[in-house]
Amino acid sequence: MPTRKEILEIGGREVAVSNPDKVYFPKAGHTKMDLVNYYLAVADGALRGVAGRPMALKRFVDGAEGEAFFQKRAPENRPDWIDTAELTFPSGRTADEVVLREAAGLAWVANLGCIDLNPHPVRAEDLDHPDELRVDLDPVPGIEWSQIREVAVVCREALEAVGLVGWPKTSGSRGIHINVRIEPRWTYPDVRRAALALARDVERRAPTLATSKWWKEERHGVFLDYNQNAKDRTVASVYSVRPLPDARVSMPLRWEEVPDVVAEDFTLATVPGLYASRGDAGAGIDDAVGSLEALLELSARDEAEGLGDAPWPPNYAKQAGEPPRVQPSRKRRPESEYEPGRGEAGGPPPEVAAERAAAVAAGDPNAGLPTEWEGSGSRPTPTGRRKSAIPVIEISRAAKKTEALEGLERWKERHPAAATALEPADVLVDGMRGRSSLWYRVRVNLIHVPEADRPSQEALDPDYDPWAGYEWPDRAGQLERAPRKKPC
């Protein structure tokens, strides 16, 4: 039997919604058509966050409880009124990404299974100069919602001190985002540098509540993720529905609402009514464009006092001035003995970039080898207890988060004394970017476990390899993705 379709007319465009009755949120009972209708009900507000911006498609074709996959390249079979923009990524590869400009586009991507919307912080007309700085408040496990709200208020004070206006919203998950419109005058590395300076300033203002530390094993309280401003990073935009059981929404807020806001109040079911009755709390964001000059001056003062760059995400070439790219618990040598980075502007060293560009121009689509970095991609070896100031061991790697956490529960059963001593923040759960979807890694920090009770590193359970079926892992610098292995 053919799949039922429903044809919508939206602003003079026709959008087909296939299988509109498919349940996307089993617990709440919301269907694909409910998702489409939601985005149409808040279209003006949602477009304020995504219109004119290239966006990666994060598709949940089996609904919120299914596995998502990332699609950077715009589908070839798309309406002629869907625009695209060609982005260049840190790897050197390029992709034509979708650019939405009208309400019909929201319905079209929702039909593809895009539950949340993930735009880049640039406009299609100028892909090299972001017009938005993004503050991502990410709590470590065990941190109460009230502390996240407190840190958001401190962020507002820090932004006002440098002449910037922040526009807060719930993340729709565990944190709060603050978007800041800026003049499109600065490059991605400049904006990231400004975000790092802001994170350090907030940490100074609220040292017991907030942290700018990149490594999870060093964090406490609420982490200000400055790396969300690196090129090729995206976050869920305003009014995005998140793939949670209650279909929670990333909701724009007025600052006076932040101290008492309850994130669970905003869902696919409740937000259209709130939007209709109270309007869009983020409606003035495009009229509040600011300068990064004061934040960059603050960054320069930090650097003069010895606070240099901080770690970049692992899929970037190691940058000049970046500290050793190795987890503190694995650090064995003085910093001076680690190979320095030579990458520039988030990319590879200049001579490597020039060689790649020349080879690509000559017709070699796979020019350039992976850029190696210190301490990445290595697997733990079960050779006994580490002697480290931060005793971290890895427990599991799995395609699904539930499977990785099941491995943790088995570890706890084997080591009850250690498990009892763990605090919530000691369990480090990482969503790792695979080829087109996430995989999950679980580690535990044994810092609160008495040394006599600390288990040694064991074989991973489960031990998932996201690259098992491919010739090589995706790494920084590959211009062509690894092919599948040929059958023997």
Side-chain angles (χ1 to χ4, degrees):
M1 179 181 296
T3 302
R4 185 173 82 85
K5 288 186 178 181
E6 191 163 332
I7 306 298
L8 303 179
E9 185 173 335
I10 307 166
R13 312 287 194 192
E14 282 194 352
V15 179
V17 180
S18 60
N19 203 359
D21 302 318
K22 184 172 184 177
V23 176
Y24 265 26
F25 296 89
K27 182 177 179 180
H30 300 311
T31 65
K32 179 193 279 192
M33 183 55 74
D34 292 332
L35 181 68
V36 171
N37 287 333
Y38 162 82
Y39 276 117
L40 295 178
V42 299
D44 288 346
L47 287 171
R48 195 165 282 114
V50 302
R53 301 181 184 278
M55 59 182 283
L57 303 180
K58 185 181 178 184
R59 300 179 61 181
F60 293 82
V61 295
D62 294 320
E65 295 186 358
E67 289 296 305
F69 68 91
F70 297 92
Q71 181 175 339
K72 290 187 175 181
R73 289 169 175 78
E76 292 186 7
N77 184 21
R78 63 181 184 273
D80 57 9
W81 44 268
I82 293 289
D83 289 345
T84 62
E86 185 182 64
L87 271 72
T88 302
F89 304 110
S91 65
R93 292 190 294 267
T94 62
D96 290 328
E97 291 200 0
V98 163
V99 178
L100 303 184
R101 299 191 185 274
E102 53 190 298
L106 296 172
W108 181 74
V109 296
N111 178 61
L112 293 178
C114 296
I115 292 177
D116 50 11
L117 309 175
N118 294 272
H120 293 269
V122 291
R123 306 283 180 171
E125 293 73 25
D126 186 352
L127 298 173
D128 296 321
H129 300 94
D131 71 335
E132 188 169 81
L133 181 148
R134 295 170 173 177
V135 183
D136 180 6
L137 305 185
D138 184 12
V140 305
I143 293 301
E144 298 291 334
W145 176 247
S146 58
Q147 183 168 330
I148 305 167
R149 296 182 302 199
E150 288 182 68
V151 174
V153 173
V154 177
C155 287
R156 181 190 190 187
E157 296 168 357
L159 287 167
E160 289 178 343
V162 290
L164 293 171
V165 179
W167 297 81
K169 67 183 182 73
T170 62
S171 71
S173 183
R174 299 176 57 245
I176 287 177
H177 297 158
I178 304 171
N179 293 335
V180 183
R181 285 288 194 269
I182 57 174
E183 300 167 12
R185 294 167 44 196
W186 294 276
T187 64
Y188 273 98
D190 290 333
V191 178
R192 177 187 170 278
R193 182 167 161 248
L196 176 57
L198 177 68
R200 287 170 170 167
D201 187 38
V202 172
E203 184 176 31
R204 284 190 290 265
R205 291 169 182 263
T208 63
L209 302 178
T211 181
S212 64
K213 299 294 187 294
W214 171 253
W215 299 108
K216 283 190 175 183
E217 58 199 46
E218 291 188 309
R219 294 179 193 170
H220 69 275
V222 179
F223 170 53
L224 286 88
D225 190 354
Y226 57 89
N227 270 331
Q228 292 292 17
N229 295 277
K231 190 174 184 179
D232 194 27
R233 299 297 283 254
T234 62
V235 296
S237 62
V238 289
Y239 296 104
S240 283
V241 181
R242 306 308 303 276
L244 297 175
D246 61 354
R248 202 172 304 174
V249 167
S250 181
M251 185 69 172
L253 304 169
R254 296 176 176 86
W255 276 111
E256 58 268 25
E257 298 172 319
V258 170
D260 301 307
V261 68
V262 177
E264 292 85 350
D265 287 346
F266 308 115
T267 67
L268 182 152
T270 64
V271 167
L274 292 169
Y275 182 84
S277 62
R278 73 174 212 171
D280 180 13
I285 189 170
D286 289 318
D287 299 321
V289 179
S291 169
L292 287 184
E293 289 178 353
L295 262 184
L296 292 173
E297 289 173 2
L298 178 60
S299 175
R301 291 198 294 273
D302 285 345
E303 291 163 4
E305 294 173 3
L307 279 176
D309 199 359
W312 285 65
N315 60 313
Y316 290 73
K318 189 174 180 183
Q319 298 297 291
E322 183 180 354
R325 193 175 287 186
V326 56
Q327 294 171 19
S329 59
R330 294 186 177 186
K331 195 173 179 181
R332 301 290 181 269
R333 294 173 280 157
E335 288 198 12
S336 60
E337 294 184 13
Y338 284 90
E339 186 72 22
R342 298 189 300 111
E344 292 186 359
E351 70 275 12
V352 176
E355 289 173 4
R356 289 180 190 162
V360 171
D364 180 2
N366 196 33
L369 296 174
T371 301
E372 301 295 339
W373 54 81
E374 192 72 42
S376 71
S378 60
R379 287 184 172 270
T381 54
T383 55
R385 186 177 294 123
R386 288 197 184 101
K387 300 296 182 182
S388 170
I390 305 178
V392 176
I393 61 174
E394 189 167 355
I395 306 300
S396 60
R397 297 185 181 190
K400 296 184 178 180
K401 187 175 182 179
T402 54
E403 295 172 353
L405 292 174
E406 287 168 359
L408 173 65
E409 292 306 313
R410 290 190 290 271
W411 179 88
K412 288 181 176 180
E413 290 174 3
R414 294 194 300 274
H415 306 287
T420 301
L422 294 177
E423 296 187 2
D426 294 337
V427 177
L428 311 174
V429 182
D430 303 300
M432 312 291 286
R433 182 67 69 90
R435 186 175 177 85
S436 61
S437 61
L438 293 177
W439 59 277
Y440 295 89
R441 176 182 68 178
V442 175
R443 296 171 295 150
V444 293
N445 187 342
L446 303 175
I447 193 71
H448 294 109
V449 179
E451 190 164 358
D453 294 334
R454 291 178 184 175
S456 301
Q457 176 68 58
E458 301 173 348
L460 302 185
D461 170 31
D463 188 1
Y464 171 71
D465 181 359
W467 312 111
Y470 298 92
E471 292 292 341
W472 61 78
D474 279 354
R475 303 288 287 277
Q478 291 175 196
L479 297 182
E480 185 174 74
R481 307 195 84 178
R484 289 188 178 274
K485 289 182 178 178
K486 298 178 181 179
C488 298

